[in-house]
Amino acid sequence: MARKSAGTRSQEYSESIINTVREPLIVLDQDLRVVTASRSFYEAFKAKPEETLGRLVYDLGNKQWDIPKLRELLETILPQKASFDDYEVEHDFDVIGKRIMLLNARQVQRVLGKERVILLAVEDITERREIEKGLEKARLELLFNKIVGDEAREYAESILNTVREPLIVLDQDLRIVTANRSFYEAFKVEPGETVRQLIYDLGNKQWDIPKLRELLETILPQKATFDDYEVEHDFAAIGRRIMLLNARQVQRALGNERIILLAIDDITEKKDLERAVVKARDVAEAANKELEAFSYSVSHDLRTPLRSIDGFSHALLEDYGEKLDDTAKSYLNRVRKATQYMGRLIDELLKLSRVTRSEFRHESVDLSAIVRGVSEKLREDDRTRTVDVIIREGVIVSGDPALLKIALENLVNNAWKFTGKAERPQLEFGMTIKEGKAACFIRDNGAGFDMAYVNKLFGAFQRLHTTLEFPGAGIGLATVQRIINRHGGEVWAEGEVGKGATFYFTLPG
Amino acid sequence: MEKQIILLIEDNPDDVALTLRAFKKSNISNRVIVAKDGLDALDYLHGTGQYSGRETKELPAVVMLDLNLPKLDGLEVLRKIRQDELTALIPVVILTSSAEQKDVVEGYRLGANSYIRKPVDFEQFIEAVKLLGLYWTLWNETPSSSLSGRR
């Protein structure tokens, strides 16, 4: 009784151990029938004691445990070695699905008995395996990322450094991951004081620009990109700069983190140039307006009193002529003549100013045709004169047709006028090579001029002849010079007193 | 039939005297009303101001208009003449010192019938005024003259 009770106690004790262990455990007899099973076994494999106890292990759960590997372990390995450790068995159970189990077995002599029993511990390591698999996968991925990442980073950085535009790469927290060489050069900072810094802290907080904050913190998160934001900022190291900011928020390859590419185009000089151009244009426009107002005033206000002088002189001569002697009448005639001359001067001045401010057109212009037209008109106007006109045909240039016509009119009129006293007046229009450049010329065999005064030739109101000899306001050649200059060309003259003059001009383009 | 008047809008008294003299020399005997500025001219045309009570249906044969006027400038006067139904069809000749292209273009754009630049040489001026006067008071048929004839 005492023996039995000792045996019973011992059995109860071992069963309580079995039930405490979290690992599923079954005890088999020599015929591989289940003697007992732990609570965790029933739970893990969704089995009930009544369908388990006394059954052949292979028949358990509708023969779900008839696993070849288990048969091998129990029937071949165990009888030889009395134990086996950590045999991994993977099996697909009907009720609980695919499981990976670690099997441990001991063949033991039952206490105080002769029969041997087998303790079989079945550890379900499915979840652990899965975690391990996940860990390994993550580890491999990490390794792969590192390799690919290193390559990609090297590649990306070589791109960054190749670009002339200053570029910085920021992480999600707006810290600098990397910056290219142009950035360091343009903003006079060192990599050591840049990388891993918050962008706003760069260069002694010089980059703490409200507009930049707005762009990076408000606009970029919404739109993932911004283009050509103009930001003006006064930097301590490099002074006031105008920058064009472009940014892209990108997902880093194979990773989850986002990075920001920020390109900074320093357009200060471009802007300064633009501003200078605008300013220059404004100044030019203002000057032009002033000139226009001036010539309007010349045109209107200066001529008005002249009309009074001439008109009332005329009235005096007509209404009071009988009371005036010849000297008085000749004085009045001189007044009228001078007045009318001044009227012409004003008109010529106006023409000259129009030459400068008229709009410039670029067209193909047939100079030969203009010279022919002008000389034919002169011939019609004064049929008493015979001038031998030689025109080289087909001289076609690029320029402003209206202006070139005025220039040629002046030159041909001059030649016509100054050959007035020549025995056999001759006028020639042609082309020649002067100092390696193609030049047009108008040559006459008229009065000519002294080369000592050649510099006075093209000045406004400069005359080399008295008005008595040859009438004129002294504006014509000044006009010609302005027109040729506006074409980017040059005009010059050669002459000899009594033998004639030649006017050359070049027209580039 | 009584001759239609000529409305001369001119602020410079010398020019007024010389223009009247040129009319006389050219035997143009139409009565000339001189307006010394743009507002004065519009008063005449609309029968307002010093011309209040004037029979505005009697339209001038021609308006001779200087451009450089005090207060309302000539082009503005022209615009107002053309905008008003009563005066829209009156022939307007711009007679001025300026021959600036923008004045000429703007003048025609606003409906001027002719644009004459006053020459400095008085003999030429007489010639121009003579031709103008004869043309606009004698030869030209205006809707206003036939209109007033019907009435």
Side-chain angles (χ1 to χ4, degrees):
Chain A
M1 190 71 202
R3 223 177 55 190
K4 192 185 173 189
S5 78
T8 310
R9 271 208 307 277
S10 141
Q11 194 172 338
E12 277 170 4
Y13 177 61
S14 45
E15 279 191 6
S16 73
I17 292 177
I18 287 171
N19 283 329
T20 315
V21 175
R22 280 189 57 248
E23 211 171 303
L25 258 174
I26 44 176
V27 181
L28 304 175
D29 64 12
Q30 278 172 298
D31 303 327
L32 304 179
R33 286 181 189 278
V34 178
V35 179
T36 179
S38 69
R39 207 175 49 220
S40 49
F41 176 84
Y42 293 124
E43 282 166 11
F45 295 98
K46 309 253 183 289
K48 289 181 178 127
E50 57 267 27
E51 55 185 31
T52 305
L53 295 176
R55 301 278 177 99
L56 192 62
V57 66
Y58 308 131
D59 291 343
L60 288 182
N62 213 11
K63 293 197 197 300
Q64 283 185 64
W65 285 85
D66 190 0
I67 306 165
K69 183 85 185 175
L70 183 64
R71 270 186 190 272
E72 189 196 335
L73 283 171
L74 292 176
E75 292 167 24
T76 312
I77 294 172
L78 201 60
Q80 287 167 19
K81 299 173 74 184
S83 84
F84 58 80
D85 289 316
D86 290 344
Y87 266 85
E88 195 176 312
V89 175
E90 194 175 323
H91 186 66
D92 207 347
F93 293 94
D94 280 352
V95 186
I96 52 170
K98 199 179 196 75
R99 304 269 87 176
I100 303 161
M101 297 164 294
L102 220 48
L103 303 182
N104 284 271
R106 295 282 177 281
Q107 191 170 272
V108 288
Q109 208 74 27
R110 228 181 179 180
V111 197
L112 299 173
K114 287 212 171 125
E115 43 177 338
R116 289 171 305 162
V117 290
I118 296 163
L119 286 173
L120 179 62
V122 186
E123 190 185 355
D124 185 344
I125 57 163
T126 313
E127 271 157 38
R128 203 212 301 171
R129 273 281 177 275
E130 261 166 26
I131 291 169
E132 278 172 4
K133 263 191 202 160
L135 276 176
E136 179 61 10
K137 200 176 150 204
R139 199 178 66 82
L140 284 173
E141 215 165 67
L142 219 62
L143 192 69
F144 180 70
N145 279 0
K146 191 171 150 34
I147 295 165
V148 174
D150 283 353
E151 253 173 52
R153 184 176 301 133
E154 224 166 86
Y155 179 60
E157 272 175 16
S158 70
I159 292 177
L160 288 186
N161 282 325
T162 315
V163 174
R164 280 187 55 244
E165 205 173 317
L167 263 174
I168 48 182
V169 181
L170 304 174
D171 64 17
Q172 276 169 292
D173 304 325
L174 304 179
R175 287 180 189 279
I176 285 140
V177 177
T178 182
N180 69 351
R181 223 172 38 215
S182 319
F183 176 80
Y184 294 125
E185 282 165 13
F187 294 97
K188 308 250 184 294
V189 283
E190 298 292 329
E193 57 185 10
T194 305
V195 173
R196 277 186 292 281
Q197 293 287 313
L198 191 64
I199 182 166
Y200 307 129
D201 292 343
L202 277 190
N204 218 3
K205 298 205 192 294
Q206 285 185 59
W207 283 83
D208 193 0
I209 307 167
K211 181 84 185 178
L212 183 63
R213 271 188 188 270
E214 188 197 333
L215 288 172
L216 290 176
E217 291 166 24
T218 312
I219 294 174
L220 202 57
Q222 284 166 18
K223 303 172 67 184
T225 154
F226 60 77
D227 287 314
D228 290 346
Y229 265 85
E230 202 177 301
V231 173
E232 196 172 328
H233 187 64
D234 207 346
F235 291 94
I238 52 168
R240 188 160 209 85
R241 307 264 90 180
I242 303 163
M243 298 165 291
L244 223 46
L245 301 183
N246 282 275
R248 293 282 175 284
Q249 186 169 279
V250 287
Q251 206 82 18
R252 228 180 189 183
L254 297 171
N256 284 323
E257 53 182 329
R258 284 170 310 161
I259 54 166
I260 296 161
L261 285 174
L262 179 66
I264 305 144
D265 194 2
D266 183 347
I267 56 163
T268 313
E269 273 161 38
K270 206 172 105 195
K271 273 277 161 183
D272 284 350
L273 271 178
E274 277 174 15
R275 280 175 190 169
V277 166
V278 168
K279 202 178 162 191
R281 201 170 42 211
D282 286 351
V283 169
E285 256 166 37
N288 228 14
K289 278 215 178 92
E290 217 166 277
L291 186 66
E292 229 160 82
F294 172 74
S295 46
Y296 189 89
S297 146
V298 167
S299 160
H300 191 279
D301 301 345
L302 293 190
R303 288 174 89 258
T304 303
L306 290 181
R307 280 203 316 279
S308 295
I309 298 168
D310 190 70
F312 290 109
S313 304
H314 184 269
L316 268 179
L317 280 168
E318 251 189 15
D319 296 359
Y320 301 93
E322 290 158 20
K323 295 176 184 170
L324 298 172
D325 63 15
D326 285 352
T327 314
K329 281 183 201 164
S330 90
Y331 288 168
L332 277 174
N333 278 322
R334 278 168 196 264
V335 169
R336 289 199 62 208
K337 218 167 156 188
T339 309
Q340 286 161 25
Y341 178 59
M342 189 160 169
R344 280 201 300 280
L345 284 182
I346 289 169
D347 288 350
E348 293 298 319
L349 257 184
L350 278 175
K351 268 191 220 159
L352 185 64
S353 87
R354 274 189 207 118
V355 161
T356 318
R357 65 206 162 94
S358 65
E359 211 165 293
F360 196 94
R361 289 182 299 156
H362 268 287
E363 281 172 27
S364 170
V365 186
D366 186 347
L367 298 185
S368 309
I370 294 176
V371 173
R372 199 180 327 110
V374 173
S375 50
E376 271 165 18
K377 187 176 183 302
L378 285 165
R379 206 195 307 272
E380 278 170 27
D381 286 353
D382 187 356
R383 292 198 179 276
T384 63
R385 290 201 53 202
T386 313
V387 178
D388 196 5
V389 178
I390 304 156
I391 297 172
R392 171 168 169 163
E393 291 301 324
V395 180
I396 292 166
V397 297
S398 165
D400 185 288
L403 291 179
L404 288 175
K405 182 159 189 267
I406 294 172
L408 286 172
E409 267 172 359
N410 274 300
L411 290 174
V412 174
N413 283 345
N414 269 358
W416 202 271
K417 186 162 70 183
F418 290 109
T419 51
K421 289 169 181 141
E423 212 170 291
R424 284 197 52 200
Q426 209 175 53
L427 184 161
E428 184 187 355
F429 170 70
M431 278 190 84
T432 183
I433 301 291
K434 277 275 176 179
E435 287 165 16
K437 279 186 248 169
C440 302
F441 67 85
I442 287 187
R443 177 178 293 138
D444 68 66
N445 62 349
F449 62 91
D450 187 341
M451 283 298 276
Y453 305 120
V454 71
N455 292 335
K456 297 182 84 180
L457 217 52
F458 293 98
F461 299 118
Q462 298 286 348
R463 299 177 47 86
L464 298 187
H465 305 273
T466 65
T467 40
L468 211 62
E469 280 178 301
F470 297 101
I475 292 277
L477 287 177
T479 307
V480 171
Q481 190 176 44
R482 285 208 184 184
I483 290 171
I484 300 301
N485 286 351
R486 272 197 82 181
H487 283 79
E490 282 176 84
V491 59
W492 68 95
E494 289 170 5
E496 200 180 323
V497 174
K499 294 205 170 166
T502 308
F503 288 86
Y504 298 94
F505 60 89
T506 58
L507 292 167
Chain B
M1 185 182 113
E2 200 191 328
K3 282 180 183 169
Q4 280 180 282
I5 63 118
I6 293 171
L7 177 61
L8 176 65
I9 311 174
E10 171 65 70
D11 66 313
N12 184 332
D14 280 7
D15 272 354
V16 171
L18 291 171
T19 309
L20 293 179
R21 182 175 170 85
F23 282 141
K24 205 171 97 191
K25 292 278 162 199
S26 322
N27 298 317
I28 293 166
S29 55
N30 299 57
R31 192 159 70 94
V32 180
I33 302 289
V34 179
K36 62 186 187 318
D37 60 48
L39 291 178
D40 199 19
L42 293 176
D43 272 347
Y44 176 81
L45 290 170
H46 297 140
T48 51
Q50 62 161 309
Y51 296 103
S52 61
R54 190 187 78 83
E55 179 49 77
T56 53
K57 284 193 189 98
E58 284 171 24
L59 296 173
V62 62
V63 173
M64 293 193 176
L65 176 67
D66 187 21
L67 287 188
N68 202 2
L69 294 170
K71 297 177 195 168
L72 212 56
D73 83 24
L75 291 173
E76 204 49 47
V77 174
L78 175 57
R79 191 195 314 275
K80 288 198 186 306
I81 288 175
R82 288 293 177 249
Q83 274 169 359
D84 189 328
E85 210 180 318
L86 176 73
T87 56
L89 300 175
I90 304 174
V92 174
V93 175
I94 294 173
L95 191 63
T96 186
S97 290
S98 159
E100 284 294 292
Q101 199 57 26
K102 68 173 170 56
D103 282 346
V104 180
V105 169
E106 195 57 20
Y108 277 113
R109 196 190 306 283
L110 292 172
N113 298 80
S114 189
Y115 193 109
I116 310 287
R117 188 196 189 202
K118 291 181 229 176
V120 168
D121 186 336
F122 188 65
E123 272 151 34
Q124 289 178 22
F125 185 57
I126 292 175
E127 191 62 26
V129 166
K130 186 175 177 180
L131 291 173
L132 270 179
L134 288 176
Y135 178 79
W136 290 108
T137 62
L138 213 59
W139 293 104
N140 189 51
E141 280 294 333
T142 63
S144 49
S145 54
S146 49
L147 203 71
S148 57
R150 256 209 322 268
R151 288 178 182 185

